[in-house]
Amino acid sequence: MITYNRLNYDDSTLIALYRAIVKPRIIEEKMLNLLRQGKISKWFSGIGQEAIAVGATLALEEDEYIMTLHRNLGVFTTRQMPFLKLFNQWQGNETGYSKGRERSFHFGTNEHHIVGMISHLGPQLTIANGISLAHKLRKESKVSLAFTGEGGTSEGDFHEALNVASVWDLPVIFLIENNGYGLSTPTNEQYRCATLADRAAGYGMEGITIDGNNIIEVYDTIKGVRDYCIKNQRPYLVECLTFRMRGHEEASGTKYVPKELFEIWNKKDPVLNFENYLLANGIISEDYK
């Protein structure tokens, strides 16, 4: 179960968060069916991690760049990218983004200020630095936000990006989606620090670890971090704790993951928990559409 604190947010804001987090879940369920039918060739599932992508995107201005990864469908849907063009992209049609050439989420769109994922993952962080440097030189009150997984924090690019951002005083948000596994490697085999946010101190920047399944906490934290980065012209490291409910990709399976972990994290489903919270508090009703 997730405990929510609505803070000072009104009902309309909470409903907007709910509508935004439900959308990628519905699309994912559809895409998994299409995958089984052979109508798409590959899919990286973000089921169970929607609160991070959705909350972070809503916390930024629409013209602030986001560097996405595998499981950030919520960024694409929250930025109101046309469904027809998205589906054409995933099905390899030339009317999709990049004419359908990249599979899954290896594409972006300048119109919606999204930089598509680079397979090496780490370089996304350095691109965020470049964008934030441009904002800084132009004296624009903007940030950039780059996603990385806990696996990506072991890459050299992670060190280089955080070091440069700190030394150059860049207003960039580094967001770690710590979902427990880097492909098939569990976190206890990857690093020894208590939390990945602890690494921020080594670069002279602030860092925080939050519940990545709590959409209000993600939204409120990123809004506050954004304000901090702009006011102080400094970077910030945010670690969001979550869990990968499906395989690294659908073809890889989950046999290496203990079954009890799925049982634990299923109770922390970010969509169902938030929906139940809204229902219990009379913010939405059972017939809400």
Side-chain angles (χ1 to χ4, degrees):
M1 297 291 290
I2 298 174
T3 300
Y4 294 97
N5 180 354
R6 67 179 298 165
L7 302 170
N8 295 317
Y9 297 117
D10 57 24
D11 287 359
S12 62
T13 298
L14 299 185
I15 291 174
L17 289 173
Y18 173 66
R19 291 178 66 88
I21 198 175
V22 166
K23 195 176 294 183
R25 175 65 62 88
I26 294 173
I27 292 175
E28 277 241 41
E29 292 171 347
K30 174 66 174 178
M31 298 309 294
L32 293 177
N33 284 332
L34 292 178
L35 182 67
R36 287 189 280 272
Q37 294 169 13
K39 294 182 179 179
I40 59 173
S41 62
K42 195 180 187 71
W43 190 256
F44 293 97
S45 178
I47 287 179
Q49 299 182 207
E50 296 95 341
I52 303 173
V54 171
T57 304
L58 286 173
L60 300 187
E61 297 294 326
E62 291 185 356
D63 62 350
E64 291 178 320
Y65 277 90
I66 299 177
M67 282 28 80
T68 57
L69 289 185
H70 305 70
R71 310 178 205 288
N72 298 144
L73 172 60
V75 175
F76 291 74
T77 57
T78 302
R79 281 281 166 94
Q80 305 298 318
M81 292 171 69
F83 286 167
L84 180 59
K85 198 166 185 178
L86 277 175
F87 274 78
N88 281 332
Q89 174 69 28
W90 292 324
Q91 293 181 293
N93 294 328
E94 64 177 1
T95 52
Y97 293 94
S98 75
K99 298 184 178 181
R101 291 194 177 98
E102 283 81 28
R103 298 182 296 174
S104 197
F105 295 98
H106 294 263
F107 64 95
T109 159
N110 196 49
E111 177 185 358
H112 295 89
H113 297 84
I114 296 173
V115 177
M117 67 167 285
I118 300 170
S119 289
H120 305 88
L121 309 185
Q124 294 289 78
L125 306 177
T126 58
I127 292 175
N129 281 350
I131 292 173
S132 283
L133 176 60
H135 289 316
K136 189 178 183 73
L137 293 175
R138 295 169 183 164
K139 301 187 184 303
E140 299 170 338
S141 296
K142 300 290 180 184
V143 301
S144 64
L145 184 150
F147 285 92
T148 187
E150 79 290 332
T153 66
S154 294
E155 295 185 17
D157 294 278
F158 178 82
H159 162 76
E160 294 171 8
L162 268 67
N163 191 58
V164 167
S166 186
V167 172
W168 289 1
D169 295 318
L170 301 179
V172 55
I173 302 171
F174 299 109
L175 194 157
I176 304 169
E177 291 185 284
N178 189 340
N179 64 13
Y181 283 83
L183 211 156
S184 60
T185 302
T187 54
N188 62 0
E189 295 181 13
Q190 187 189 317
Y191 56 83
R192 288 291 181 265
C193 49
T195 70
L196 290 173
D198 291 343
R199 295 186 176 182
Y203 302 99
M205 69 174 68
E206 298 293 323
I208 189 173
T209 298
I210 64 174
D211 181 356
N213 283 26
N214 185 328
I215 190 166
I216 297 178
E217 186 172 347
V218 174
Y219 175 68
D220 187 68
T221 298
I222 299 301
K223 279 177 66 71
V225 167
R226 176 186 179 274
D227 291 343
Y228 168 90
C229 291
I230 291 174
K231 179 181 178 180
N232 298 283
Q233 288 297 289
R234 292 289 298 154
Y236 208 107
L237 180 65
V238 180
E239 177 186 17
C240 294
L241 299 179
T242 185
F243 189 71
R244 199 184 68 203
M245 295 299 290
R246 303 187 70 86
H248 172 68
E249 61 165 296
E250 288 304 303
S252 66
T254 58
K255 291 183 178 179
Y256 49 85
V257 183
K259 291 183 179 180
E260 57 267 24
L261 287 178
F262 289 106
E263 296 172 359
I264 293 170
W265 283 93
N266 189 53
K267 295 177 182 178
K268 301 178 183 179
D269 185 292
V271 177
L272 295 180
N273 272 275
F274 192 50
E275 180 177 278
N276 290 335
Y277 168 77
L278 297 180
L279 288 169
N281 287 273
I283 299 171
I284 63 172
S285 60
E286 289 287 354
D287 59 354
Y288 177 80
K289 299 187 185 298

